[in-house]
Amino acid sequence: MELNAQTLATLSQCFLDTLSPLPEPRRRAESGLAEAAERPSYGLAVLRLVSERAVDEQIRQAAAVNFKNLLKARWAPAPPAAPIADHEKDQIKALIVPLMLSSAPRIQSQLSEALSVIGKHDFPNLWPTLLPELRVSLERAIEGSDYVSVNGILATVNSLFKKFRYQYKTNELLYDLKYCLENFQQPLLDVFKRTAGFIQTVVTASGPATTLKPLIECQRLCCRIFYSLNFQDLPEFFENNIDKWMSEFRTYLTVRYPVLEDGGGDGLAVVDELRAAVCENINLYMEKEEEAFQGYLNGFVEAVWSLLVVTSANSSRERLTVTAIKFLTTVSTSVHHTLFARDDILQQICQSIVIPNVRLRDEDEELFEMNYVEFIRRDMEGSDLDTRRRIACELLKGIATNYKQKVSERVSEQIGICLGLFQENPAINWKHKDCAIYLVVSLATRNAAGGPVSTDLVDVGAFFEAVIVPELRSQDVNGFPMLKAGALKFFTMFRHHIPKHTAIALFPDVVRFLSSDSNVVHSYAASCIEKLLLVKDDKGQARYGSSDISPFLLALMTNLFGALDKPDSEENQYVMKCIMRVLGVADITVEVASPCITGLTSVLNRVCENPKNPIFNHYLFEGVAILVRRACENDPSLVSAFETSLFPSLQAILGKEVTEFFPYAFQLLAQLVELNRPPIPHHYMQIFDILLLPDSWKKSANVPALVRLLQSFLQKAPRELYQEGRLNQVLGIFNKLILSPSTDEQGFYVLNTVIENLDYDVIKENITHIWASLFGRLQNNRTVKFIKSFLIFVSLFIVKHGSQNLVESMDALQSGILLQILDQIWVPNLKLITGSIELKLTSVASTRLICESPMLLQPAAAKLWGKMLDSIVTLLSRPEQDRVEEEPEVPDFGETVGYNATFVHLYNAGKKEEDPLKEIKDPKNFLVASLANLSVRSPGTYPQVISENLDPANQAALLQFCSYFNVSVV
């Protein structure tokens, strides 16, 4: 692309058209820009346009946004996208800093982000001139008191240095940090101190907010850069100058700036952002550099405390409140916890900090009503650590680390006060009751093993009866919804403590709340039921069974499906998870199965139009799978009814190419195939033939589910497999899967199912090709996973078709190759086998080889025979952790580039693991019995081979096996 006036005019018109309210010119312009972006020097042309002062600022801003997005997509793109040429990159780097500094604020912010994109990939190694250039520009800007440029530079540096906060500490990272410190630690302090002086001057002279505001923003950016540079370790420069930093930090926590804080607009937020940044810095020092910080600690605790008393009463100052409380929490768990030991201090914390922050505010009610998903994410799922409600409770937990009894007494007292206020006027003071419930729930402790929660604040049973049950018994499911939600949350949290008879008596009440119009309330009701059904008794048995929920099962299912019809709950994951859980527990009669499958397929058809919530969708398919499985186990005649209901939905998924659901659809089809009795109906065979087409296997995310479906056909339709060339198609699929480390395990699943279900006469003519494929992988690209799968396959072949067929089929490819396989592959790797069925299979197959295969019973093979036995005894005698040192597999990136829908396993549609050796109960018994029978035919031969080739520990283990099963090797 030529950089001339015509190019700039064309680009200018395109960017102007992208701002058009009319869709046609806007789409045309966007398409033209996308096409132009593929040409060389496009980025330079756009940057040149941004620099043209004669062009309208709106157009230049649109160009700056486009330039930033171009760099995100093309500076260091993933293949196959082509990156910007190196010479163009060099020119962009030379131009961008001065252009950013000379631009208007809105354009400057976009160019600063663009510069950060480059810096993320190139700084500092590929752009060593950047930081010195920024430092010189910063010094020039601060000399001229140009705080627009100062803040633009600091914002860029802040973005560049953020990596020191979140990347792992490595030598390379520390080298980069050292470079940044050497170039920027002194300029940073100079700017910070000089700006502090300017702030003092402006405040003393009662200067205007417009002058003070950029100065406060500058100090905030300095604080964020301070945080990045100090995150890994305390640098010597900062330790030597700690007093200069800390004195200013304390100033910003203690001094008010009325012209900003009382002047309306965002003035208060700007100051609070600086204070929050200071709190994060002193919290960092408290956590990591306590010794260097302790001299300043008392002053900061006092300053933060005073600040919190003011901010806790103001709902708009949440970020500052949270960071300030975090600092106090860190102090409370440190060696300086005695600062919180006095009773009057604890009393003030509860009254002035905790209760004001825990009590519901208008914005909490708004979130409850307008965005239930976010409310639940914060409230129920514990992701609200950065909200004032949760962090206030974390402060109490921190203090309780050393003063548990005192904290319990004070909080219990506050809970009593809250409940007393509620009793005075329940309709008006309901928030006090919510506060009491929230304190009990949030301060509950979970034992180390992740078991039931407990609390010392209240007697759970008495509190539940007096405070919670009245809310649950309330007949108005829509009245005081936040209280109802709190009561349901308490029931859920303390479910293990509630006696069974009490909980069962309340089940119908919880079911009623599923019909509440509040999304949070019916979500919490569903979650409560779902969690109750998971409770185990002391013996590990489910506390609540099918008989406990059967009296109100129909009402429960009706209300659950009714909740999915409520506005904004059409894809409510808590409701769908509850449906899945209930179907896993309840007795699935025809009366239950029929409306449930109708309801589930209706939901399935709806979400197929626009899949949005992957968690909801997963529970939906699990619900279908468990309904099909349990209903058909009870009544096989229901299979055809389920097929009638599900087939149109599954066909719609495949026909409309709802690719997100392909893996689910294939797994459900596999489940339905397995529920049929041979011969398989014709409509399934049509699916089988489509399944065998190569195009069906192109998307790697579908492979595990397709293999699962293919396995079901191989099991249920083995006769049809060797008709119409289907076996060759199946083996073609195996060949494709086996070539790649990312799919080879799936290839073995196919092959194992073929070996298990077909007679040897059927596969005999193909077995040489199978060995050729497997040996090719062993020779060229073997991995630990592949070797284990290979050993399992060969073992399955032996137990199904005999060692003689194994030897002959391998010899047909290469004479004597089995001995090489045994020596080089089998013996060293047999110990890596894991899984009870796999261990039994491979050990029995190995035993049959050494006891039945003529080639291993020759005197010349005695050493190999001994090594084989040694590996078998290792496998059977040593615990898994002592014998398995598995290497991490290297993923096959070549086949996973680009978008792929993720495969998610359906637990309830899973393939049942079959034991091919049900008749053999103990592989150790089988080993020593086989050895005993073998040794009788050649007395005196094998004890010597054993003594010469077995590890002493394995010799002892073998003797122990013989003694236990009362046999001997003679």
Side-chain angles (χ1 to χ4, degrees):
M1 180 175 284
E2 294 185 22
L3 300 182
N4 53 37
Q6 183 179 350
T7 299
L8 296 182
T10 302
L11 286 173
S12 180
Q13 185 61 49
C14 280
F15 285 119
L16 180 62
D17 287 345
T18 62
L19 305 174
S20 171
L22 301 175
E24 184 52 39
R26 190 170 65 246
R27 278 196 290 265
R28 189 170 57 247
E30 289 169 351
S31 175
L33 288 171
E35 184 181 338
E38 300 297 323
R39 299 177 197 163
S41 299
Y42 171 78
L44 280 172
V46 175
L47 199 58
R48 171 78 180 276
L49 178 63
V50 173
S51 69
E52 290 290 329
R53 301 299 173 91
V55 177
D56 183 82
E57 187 174 325
Q58 256 193 321
I59 294 173
R60 290 191 291 129
Q61 185 179 347
V65 172
N66 179 273
F67 176 74
K68 174 190 70 177
N69 292 334
L70 173 76
L71 297 193
K72 285 181 177 179
R74 300 283 299 280
W75 194 267
I84 296 170
D86 288 343
H87 67 88
E88 188 178 345
K89 285 183 175 182
D90 292 338
Q91 292 179 67
I92 288 171
K93 288 178 185 177
L95 295 172
I96 191 168
V97 173
L99 179 56
M100 177 190 75
L101 297 177
S102 63
S103 296
R106 290 182 179 177
I107 295 173
Q108 185 182 83
S109 67
Q110 295 299 325
L111 292 178
S112 176
E113 286 187 49
L115 192 154
S116 299
V117 171
I118 303 173
K120 179 181 177 183
H121 299 286
D122 288 14
F123 177 79
N125 296 334
L126 299 178
W127 200 357
T129 60
L130 174 60
L131 198 55
E133 185 178 1
L134 289 172
R135 186 185 66 227
V136 170
S137 299
L138 179 64
E139 290 167 352
R140 190 181 304 125
I142 199 73
E143 283 295 329
S145 298
D146 176 9
Y147 272 88
V148 172
S149 295
V150 168
N151 289 345
I153 296 166
L154 291 177
T156 302
V157 172
N158 181 40
S159 180
L160 292 171
F161 289 2
K162 278 182 181 178
K163 70 176 185 177
F164 300 123
R165 303 181 203 170
Y166 57 81
Q167 288 188 9
Y168 288 114
K169 184 187 287 189
T170 62
N171 289 337
E172 184 181 1
L173 185 75
L174 293 177
Y175 180 82
D176 289 351
L177 176 59
K178 180 174 181 291
Y179 169 83
C180 293
L181 285 165
E182 289 171 350
N183 278 276
F184 209 76
Q185 57 191 9
Q186 186 64 57
L188 179 67
L189 179 59
D190 293 343
V191 170
F192 186 69
K193 293 296 293 180
R194 183 162 184 161
T195 306
F198 287 159
I199 290 174
Q200 182 61 44
T201 301
V202 173
V203 171
T204 303
S206 300
T210 52
T211 303
L212 185 58
K213 186 175 176 180
L215 300 178
I216 296 291
E217 171 62 12
C218 172
Q219 298 301 72
R220 183 192 73 82
L221 289 166
C222 287
C223 285
R224 300 312 291 147
I225 296 169
F226 176 98
Y227 187 85
S228 296
L229 293 177
N230 284 267
F231 190 87
Q232 296 291 339
D233 287 306
L234 174 59
E236 183 181 356
F237 176 85
F238 285 90
E239 186 174 8
N240 294 338
N241 291 279
I242 189 170
D243 194 59
K244 295 175 183 177
W245 288 100
M246 294 302 155
S247 61
E248 289 303 325
F249 286 170
R250 191 165 187 275
T251 296
Y252 299 135
L253 295 179
T254 55
V255 173
R256 288 191 80 255
Y257 302 96
V259 69
L260 284 175
E261 297 184 56
D262 304 333
D266 62 349
L268 177 60
V270 170
V271 178
D272 277 357
E273 283 295 321
L274 169 58
R275 290 170 177 151
V278 168
C279 287
E280 290 196 318
N281 285 346
I282 60 176
N283 189 57
L284 178 70
Y285 266 54
M286 191 62 223
E287 287 180 331
K288 298 193 171 189
E289 308 297 342
E290 188 177 322
E291 185 177 344
F293 182 68
Q294 62 182 354
Y296 307 93
L297 178 61
N298 286 356
F300 276 114
V301 169
E302 181 183 338
V304 170
W305 182 286
S306 302
L307 196 60
L308 272 173
V309 172
V310 177
T311 61
S312 294
N314 191 327
S315 62
S316 66
R317 308 177 76 176
E318 178 144 334
R319 173 164 156 70
L320 174 57
T321 302
V322 168
T323 53
I325 294 177
K326 275 186 178 178
F327 168 70
L328 292 184
T329 304
T330 302
V331 176
S332 74
T333 57
S334 73
V335 295
H336 304 283
H337 57 78
T338 52
L339 291 169
F340 300 93
R342 285 179 12 217
D343 289 346
D344 60 320
I345 296 288
L346 281 173
Q347 187 73 17
Q348 288 180 52
I349 287 174
C350 286
Q351 289 180 346
S352 302
I353 296 177
V354 174
I355 297 299
N357 283 297
V358 167
R359 192 177 296 124
L360 284 172
R361 306 188 179 214
D362 291 343
E363 56 266 34
D364 298 317
E365 293 183 71
E366 183 179 343
L367 188 67
F368 182 93
E369 294 170 3
M370 305 300 293
N371 189 348
Y372 83 93
V373 174
E374 178 62 16
F375 182 90
I376 295 173
R377 189 184 70 82
R378 294 182 180 187
D379 185 56
M380 178 72 91
E381 297 179 4
S383 59
D384 63 341
L385 197 57
D386 284 335
T387 65
R388 58 168 79 216
R389 290 193 97 189
R390 179 59 65 89
I391 201 66
C393 292
E394 291 300 311
L395 173 58
L396 286 177
K397 287 182 180 179
I399 299 171
T401 304
N402 296 288
Y403 307 104
K404 185 175 182 179
Q405 185 175 348
K406 286 185 177 183
V407 170
S408 295
E409 289 171 358
R410 293 289 168 268
V411 176
S412 296
E413 182 182 308
Q414 291 297 323
I415 290 170
I417 292 171
C418 288
L419 293 176
L421 290 169
F422 168 76
Q423 291 296 340
E424 290 176 10
N425 192 333
I428 299 297
N429 295 337
W430 65 270
K431 290 183 181 180
H432 291 285
K433 183 173 184 178
D434 174 87
C435 183
I437 296 172
Y438 187 88
L439 282 170
V440 176
V441 170
S442 297
L443 293 172
T445 54
R446 191 179 297 276
N447 68 33
V453 298
S454 60
T455 181
D456 297 320
L457 298 176
V458 296
D459 178 285
V460 171
F463 189 88
F464 185 74
E465 288 293 337
V467 179
I468 304 301
V469 169
E471 297 300 330
L472 299 179
R473 292 289 193 195
S474 170
Q475 294 305 300
D476 183 3
V477 296
N478 293 314
F480 298 102
M482 297 193 84
L483 265 186
K484 302 298 188 295
L488 288 164
K489 181 182 176 184
F490 185 97
F491 192 3
T492 305
M493 287 280 290
F494 291 96
R495 60 192 178 275
H496 294 89
H497 299 272
I498 310 303
K500 181 175 179 178
H501 68 274
T502 303
I504 290 176
L506 289 168
F507 259 50
D509 295 301
V510 180
V511 171
R512 277 190 305 104
F513 282 110
L514 291 168
S515 63
S516 171
D517 292 334
S518 165
N519 300 98
V520 176
V521 171
H522 60 242
S523 298
Y524 278 18
S527 183
C528 182
I529 293 167
E530 190 265 329
K531 294 290 192 294
L532 281 168
L533 295 179
L534 291 174
V535 174
K536 299 283 195 295
D537 61 22
D538 294 338
K539 296 180 180 178
Q541 300 298 312
R543 183 182 293 181
Y544 305 99
S546 57
S547 60
D548 297 314
I549 61 174
S550 61
F552 44 87
L553 180 59
L554 289 176
L556 171 57
M557 299 312 296
T558 299
N559 284 6
L560 282 168
F561 281 106
L564 293 176
D565 291 329
K566 302 272 186 190
D568 298 325
S569 272
E570 295 88 348
E571 297 186 26
N572 187 312
Q573 66 196 53
Y574 307 99
V575 173
M576 186 52 71
K577 189 177 185 181
C578 184
I579 290 173
M580 178 200 74
R581 191 72 64 206
V582 172
L583 292 174
V585 173
D587 286 329
I588 308 298
T589 61
V590 176
E591 292 76 20
V592 174
S594 180
C596 284
I597 195 62
T598 301
L600 289 171
T601 50
S602 174
V603 174
L604 179 54
N605 293 335
R606 186 173 68 217
V607 298
C608 279
E609 298 300 321
N610 183 21
K612 291 180 291 189
N613 185 338
I615 299 174
F616 174 86
N617 295 334
H618 181 75
Y619 291 138
L620 168 61
F621 281 100
E622 286 284 11
V624 172
I626 198 167
L627 176 62
V628 170
R629 178 171 64 80
R630 298 194 70 238
C632 294
E633 283 175 355
N634 292 339
D635 186 354
S637 67
L638 287 172
V639 173
S640 60
F642 281 135
E643 288 173 345
T644 302
S645 296
L646 285 172
F647 252 69
S649 301
L650 298 178
Q651 287 172 332
I653 290 170
L654 300 176
K656 294 179 181 179
E657 295 198 356
V658 188
T659 54
E660 299 95 324
F661 291 169
F662 275 13
Y664 290 125
F666 295 140
Q667 290 176 85
L668 288 178
L669 283 169
Q671 186 182 30
L672 291 170
V673 170
E674 288 175 348
L675 289 168
N676 274 273
R677 294 177 180 174
I680 296 296
H682 177 67
H683 53 268
Y684 281 113
M685 294 312 298
Q686 289 178 316
I687 295 172
F688 190 15
D689 289 334
I690 295 171
L691 174 65
L692 296 178
L693 297 175
D695 284 352
S696 302
W697 296 80
K698 284 185 176 177
K699 279 200 171 180
S700 58
N702 293 337
V703 167
L706 287 170
V707 167
R708 169 84 180 85
L709 179 55
L710 182 55
Q711 286 180 292
S712 67
F713 277 115
L714 295 177
Q715 287 177 307
K716 289 293 181 176
R719 289 175 179 272
E720 290 84 347
L721 181 60
Y722 45 85
Q723 297 170 359
E724 303 175 24
R726 291 190 181 107
L727 178 57
N728 287 332
Q729 290 176 286
V730 169
L731 293 177
I733 292 167
F734 152 74
N735 274 325
K736 180 180 185 299
L737 297 176
I738 212 72
L739 289 175
S740 167
S742 65
T743 57
D744 56 13
E745 196 169 28
Q746 300 296 325
F748 276 111
Y749 291 157
V750 173
L751 193 55
N752 291 346
T753 312
V754 169
I755 292 297
E756 266 190 290
N757 292 280
L758 297 186
D759 294 335
Y760 186 69
D761 289 342
V762 176
I763 62 171
K764 186 175 181 179
E765 63 183 58
N766 301 99
I767 195 66
T768 303
H769 299 295
I770 293 172
W771 292 131
S773 298
L774 295 176
F775 295 163
R777 266 297 307 274
L778 277 176
Q779 189 170 3
N780 299 319
N781 191 15
R782 76 175 69 166
T783 63
V784 172
K785 176 163 65 75
F786 181 88
I787 289 172
K788 288 166 62 178
S789 297
F790 175 78
L791 295 182
I792 290 167
F793 164 70
V794 176
S795 298
L796 187 62
F797 187 104
I798 292 168
V799 302
K800 286 292 179 181
H801 303 302
S803 57
Q804 188 60 34
N805 283 329
L806 176 75
V807 173
E808 290 176 359
S809 62
M810 284 191 176
D811 278 350
L813 184 68
Q814 182 180 332
S815 180
I817 193 172
L818 177 59
L819 293 176
Q820 295 180 44
I821 295 289
L822 294 177
D823 189 37
Q824 298 173 23
I825 304 294
W826 200 288
V827 168
N829 295 291
L830 186 63
K831 65 182 180 180
L832 300 179
I833 299 298
T834 57
S836 58
I837 291 177
E838 290 84 352
L839 185 147
K840 181 170 137 179
L841 172 65
T842 51
S843 64
V844 168
S846 303
T847 300
R848 286 187 175 172
L849 273 175
I850 64 172
C851 294
E852 298 173 10
S853 177
M855 69 164 57
L856 282 169
L857 298 177
Q858 303 296 322
K863 186 174 182 62
L864 178 57
W865 187 95
K867 289 163 66 178
M868 282 282 291
L869 178 59
D870 189 57
S871 67
I872 298 169
V873 176
T874 296
L875 180 66
L876 292 176
S877 64
R878 299 188 189 180
E880 189 175 302
Q881 63 268 22
D882 291 349
R883 55 184 171 81
V884 177
E885 297 177 6
E886 196 160 344
E887 299 174 8
E889 298 291 349
V890 178
D892 188 7
F893 291 106
E895 295 194 6
T896 56
V897 171
Y899 172 76
N900 278 310
T902 305
F903 169 75
V904 182
H905 172 67
L906 280 178
Y907 175 80
N908 291 295
K911 185 178 184 294
K912 290 183 180 177
E913 201 170 8
E914 299 284 346
D915 183 356
L917 294 166
K918 294 186 183 71
E919 71 281 4
I920 296 175
K921 302 304 179 186
D922 190 328
K924 297 174 185 175
N925 190 5
F926 182 80
L927 171 65
V928 293
S930 300
L931 288 174
N933 290 334
L934 177 66
S935 68
V936 168
R937 300 201 298 268
S938 304
T941 301
Y942 294 102
Q944 183 179 350
V945 177
I946 290 170
S947 66
E948 290 175 356
N949 293 285
L950 263 67
D951 180 86
N954 285 346
Q955 291 185 42
L958 184 60
L959 280 173
Q960 191 175 9
F961 293 167
C962 290
S963 173
Y964 182 84
F965 294 107
N966 197 27
V967 296
S968 58
V969 179
V970 295

